[in-house]
Amino acid sequence: MASLLQILHFLSITCLLFCGVATSNQIPKPYVVYMGSSASNNDEHVQTAESAHLQLLSSIIPSEESGRISLIHHYDHAFKGFCAILTETEASILSGQSNIVSVFPDSVLELHTTRSWDFLAAESGVRASPRYNKRVPSDVIIGMVDTGIWPESPSFNDKGIGKIPARWKGVCMEGPDFKKSNCNRKLIGARYYNIPLASNENKASPTKATGSPRDFEGHGTHTASTAAGASVVNASYYGLARGTARGGSPSARIAGYKACSEEGCMSSTILKAIDDAIKDGVDIISISIGMNSLLQSDYLTDPIAIGAFHAEQMGVLVVCSAGNEGPDPYTIVNTAPWIFTVAASNIDRDFKSTVLLGNGKTYQGSAISLSNLTYAKTYPLVFGNDVAGSYVPMYEARNCRPGSLDPKKTAGKIVVCVDDDPTISRRIKKLVVEDAKATGMILISKIQRGVSFDSGTFPFSEVGNVEGLQILKYINSTKNPRATILPTIEVPRSKPAPVVAYFSARGPSPLTENILKPDIMAPGVAILAATIPEREPRNVPIGMKPSQFGIKSGTSMACPHVTGAASLVMSVHPGWTPSMIKSALMTTASLYNNMRKPLTNNSNKSANPHEMGVGELSPLKSLNPGLVFETTTQDYLQFLCHFGYSQKIIRSMSNTNFNCPKNSTEELISNINYPSISIGILSRHHQTAKTIQRTVTNVGLSNTTYIAKVHAPMGLVVKVFPRKLVFFKGVTRLSYKVSFFGKEAPSGYNTGSITWRDGRHSVQTVFTVNVE
């Protein structure tokens, strides 16, 4: 038999394993409690609701912890709910209550971090009429949910802009470094929030973010100026990308909502910012933020999806970035159908930095480097392997991992690193080499990302495997290898462009493959726009002032391009709904590059809709789309039914008596009236075709006839009926059906398009069909 000592030891281990886990689950942390649509938003109702939420908390939080009975955020306009400090048990109790839709931890969301507008106009093949060449007067208000704003930027000058729209109800919050006078007729509003940070989630009360709407990251300023910045002539990044910087809708108004700190963006704060933006009276909300693709579970625990659903209900278009986790499939985020999801592409401009070896040979690499090195002097050239610190594995040194290089061996030299380890970013490698007192760095990359890295004033160049092999051969061929890295030069009119960016997250959506995501693609590589002044003197070239503009890449930069284009469409067609504007932009997108060939990805292969959506944004074409697909709230509610949510939850979300169809299945999602078509599974063994219906609204001439043309891959039989749509006075909406039969089609995704033409317009619907 076991001794008493052994039994006690077993019990102590058991308690450590299980009691400890239970205790950790009871550590209070922020949770979001979502309670559906707000029935009313008058002041009396808001106060009553807030009191009710506090009373609800007091019923589940022990009296000895009454300090936790408070609300971090309270949602009271477009939707209702709150954020509070709860234990896991308390959150579980709340989630079981009938008036609560969902309860989820307050997680950290990520930031998805000029010439681009001229490029889009040129590639559209459309010359703007004099009406559009002039500044289009605009009372469109864009809400930027981001890191704040730098109001002194010339991109936010309000010269020539009219009075602030009377319907605007927002505020310009003050802080120690931000005054009401910082707002003007361009920047009409600015808010900031007390942000509970992830590093403080185990504390009973959250810490506060800097009490100011001012941007200290540069991300929010960059995205805002891309969407709606005023025209600024002779803008550049220390001489690079020089030209006129402007937003897509230069006369639109901007309202900044600082919902993010240096640590990221808390989901509860994102929800609060969206609710405030709707209440303030914005027309479009732009969000270059999203959760990690691995953390996606469903739409009712996604703060952006929740907020965007209610925004759409109230006539506010929400545009979001697709994420930067590409090029792998199923990495896309912000995929709800009521969100306008944007992928990233390059434009016809590249940045090159030349490596000059001691033997006279030159290799052109990619970089944005403000190096002051010249042809006149070369420096010792070494491989990371050969300058490793003591007891450091060669693999780590060749990858320039932190702590792997010996400063005594690298000082004053140019170090060659490889990119075998994807966990070490280019920025980290550069900092490692720079801290090791090296003069510069050459990175040999297996993957041609097509995205130039900004190394500041530190000499840097990224070359491919072929060039890298030649550089390493040179190092091994001589006792005294030397090199220099020349400053970056701009390469204009580069081809092909646009190309799907390497980093741009790919579909299909991991939640449902019956909605095509991303929706559209827009410039997101090396975009020049306003930023905050550089705080590190060593990153400013000698003799220059900190630049008012920066070059950034990411789907974060692509998103505001679509926001700006949507604002332009809205200013020309003020009566259009969000879904009409979205449709106009999607059905007029381009599938061709500046070589008049089909769009490609970073691997130089044909791009597919899960990479680029329906194609590259074409703003001028979208002003006159001919036909639009109106996706209604009814469509979105049916989507929620088909996805599997209960009728009770959907009624709570919509504040309606909506009834789900009797036969709700996920495959019926393909049938909601969306501007693209996606079929997650089409069995080749079915003897009948799968039929999808769409309804279009004529927004062009009243008497016109459209004829359908199908472009389908070999083996997939696609039929449209009727093939002719005749519009005349009094008839503005018509429906048609599309059948897909895949018996002879190859396995996997088959893609194509249906185009309706009337001689003036070309209305394109892209489809993706997964044949099994």
Side-chain angles (χ1 to χ4, degrees), residues 431-507:
L431 289 173
V432 168
V433 175
E434 191 173 19
D435 288 345
K437 310 301 180 185
T439 294
M441 172 182 164
I442 300 170
L443 177 63
I444 302 173
S445 179
K446 291 181 179 179
I447 302 168
Q448 293 299 302
R449 296 182 179 89
V451 181
S452 300
F453 171 66
D454 184 357
S455 66
T457 57
F458 187 70
F460 174 91
S461 187
E462 180 175 0
V463 299
N465 267 351
V466 174
E467 297 85 355
L469 180 61
Q470 296 303 312
I471 292 172
L472 293 178
K473 282 184 176 180
Y474 166 69
I475 290 175
N476 294 325
S477 70
T478 177
K479 292 182 179 179
N480 184 29
R482 300 182 71 85
T484 189
I485 302 172
L486 302 177
T488 292
I489 59 170
E490 180 182 344
V491 181
R493 313 296 175 185
S494 60
K495 294 180 179 182
V499 171
V500 181
Y502 169 83
F503 57 77
S504 188
R506 266 64 164 176

Side-chain angles (χ1 to χ4, degrees), residues 661-679:
K662 290 183 179 179
N663 299 315
S664 287
T665 60
E666 188 179 348
E667 67 177 18
L668 292 176
I669 289 174
S670 301
N671 222 35
I672 74 167
N673 202 42
Y674 209 69
S676 59
I677 295 173
S678 184
I679 298 175

Side-chain angles (χ1 to χ4, degrees), residues 403-639:
S404 65
L405 303 181
D406 185 347
K408 293 179 182 178
K409 300 176 182 178
T410 58
K413 300 174 182 177
I414 292 175
V415 179
V416 178
C417 308
V418 297
D419 200 18
D420 295 337
D421 187 349
T423 64
I424 308 299
S425 69
R426 293 180 291 183
R427 186 168 299 279
I428 295 298
K429 292 178 189 287
K430 173 253 182 184
L431 289 173
V432 168
V433 175
E434 191 173 19
D435 288 345
K437 310 301 180 185
T439 294
M441 172 182 164
I442 300 170
L443 177 63
I444 302 173
S445 179
K446 291 181 179 179
I447 302 168
Q448 293 299 302
R449 296 182 179 89
V451 181
S452 300
F453 171 66
D454 184 357
S455 66
T457 57
F458 187 70
F460 174 91
S461 187
E462 180 175 0
V463 299
N465 267 351
V466 174
E467 297 85 355
L469 180 61
Q470 296 303 312
I471 292 172
L472 293 178
K473 282 184 176 180
Y474 166 69
I475 290 175
N476 294 325
S477 70
T478 177
K479 292 182 179 179
N480 184 29
R482 300 182 71 85
T484 189
I485 302 172
L486 302 177
T488 292
I489 59 170
E490 180 182 344
V491 181
R493 313 296 175 185
S494 60
K495 294 180 179 182
V499 171
V500 181
Y502 169 83
F503 57 77
S504 188
R506 266 64 164 176
S509 165
L511 298 182
T512 177
E513 297 188 30
N514 292 302
I515 291 287
L516 174 60
K517 290 289 177 170
D519 289 309
I520 201 166
M521 185 169 72
V525 175
I527 304 302
L528 179 77
T531 190
I532 64 174
E534 177 59 57
R535 288 174 288 178
E536 281 285 341
R538 68 177 182 175
N539 289 334
V540 178
I542 296 171
M544 293 188 179
K545 294 181 180 180
S547 177
Q548 295 179 308
F549 294 86
I551 296 174
K552 295 181 183 289
S553 298
T555 53
S556 280
M557 286 64 248
C559 172
H561 277 89
V562 173
T563 301
S567 174
L568 180 62
V569 175
M570 187 176 289
S571 66
V572 174
H573 302 287
W576 284 10
T577 65
S579 69
M580 293 171 75
I581 293 168
K582 180 178 180 178
S583 173
L585 290 164
M586 288 178 65
T587 60
T588 57
S590 174
L591 292 172
Y592 296 90
N593 60 29
N594 57 2
M595 299 172 69
R596 298 295 175 254
K597 293 182 179 180
L599 294 172
T600 57
N601 59 26
N602 61 286
S603 300
N604 202 31
K605 296 178 181 178
S606 293
N608 67 64
H610 292 131
E611 298 173 316
M612 64 176 179
V614 297
E616 179 82 350
L617 175 70
S618 184
L620 294 180
K621 282 185 179 179
S622 67
L623 297 174
N624 186 20
L627 304 175
V628 294
F629 296 84
E630 294 186 72
T631 315
T632 64
T633 297
Q634 190 82 0
D635 283 307
Y636 296 132
L637 298 183
Q638 288 189 356
F639 166 84

Side-chain angles (χ1 to χ4, degrees), residues 147-350:
T147 62
I149 203 145
W150 194 268
E152 291 83 5
S153 169
S155 292
F156 307 127
N157 188 307
D158 65 355
K159 184 179 179 181
I161 297 179
K163 292 181 180 179
I164 295 172
R167 59 191 169 83
W168 173 245
K169 300 174 183 177
V171 297
C172 188
M173 295 176 69
E174 291 193 309
D177 56 5
F178 202 102
K179 305 301 178 187
K180 286 185 178 179
S181 58
N182 286 127
C183 290
N184 55 23
R185 295 188 305 275
K186 160 62 75 174
L187 177 61
I188 64 174
R191 289 183 183 267
Y192 69 94
Y193 301 89
N194 297 330
I195 305 171
L197 303 178
S199 58
N200 299 289
E201 67 176 8
N202 293 334
K203 297 181 181 179
S205 60
T207 57
K208 294 184 177 182
T210 304
S212 164
R214 185 170 291 278
D215 183 9
F216 291 105
E217 296 296 307
H219 191 273
T221 299
H222 197 281
T223 55
S225 63
T226 300
S231 293
V232 182
V233 298
N234 205 31
S236 74
Y237 179 58
Y238 301 111
L240 292 174
R242 188 178 299 280
T244 298
R246 62 181 176 88
S249 185
S251 59
R253 320 306 176 106
I254 296 170
Y257 297 83
K258 184 178 179 180
C260 302
S261 72
E262 292 181 3
E263 294 188 31
C265 319
M266 299 307 295
S267 54
S268 64
T269 311
I270 297 292
L271 268 174
K272 181 61 177 172
I274 294 173
D275 196 35
D276 280 344
I278 298 168
K279 185 177 181 180
D280 289 345
V282 306
D283 300 297
I284 303 172
I285 297 175
S286 188
I287 306 177
S288 292
I289 300 162
M291 61 173 56
N292 186 291
S293 64
L294 297 176
L295 302 180
Q296 295 185 92
S297 54
D298 67 75
Y299 301 107
L300 298 189
T301 57
D302 180 341
I304 296 178
I306 291 170
F309 175 82
H310 292 285
E312 202 283 335
Q313 274 193 311
M314 302 189 78
V316 177
L317 175 65
V318 179
V319 186
C320 294
S321 48
N324 295 341
E325 297 180 55
D328 293 333
Y330 298 99
T331 52
I332 192 167
V333 297
N334 296 325
T335 59
W338 49 83
I339 291 174
F340 203 170
T341 314
V342 187
S345 62
N346 72 345
I347 60 173
D348 62 341
R349 177 176 64 200
D350 205 356

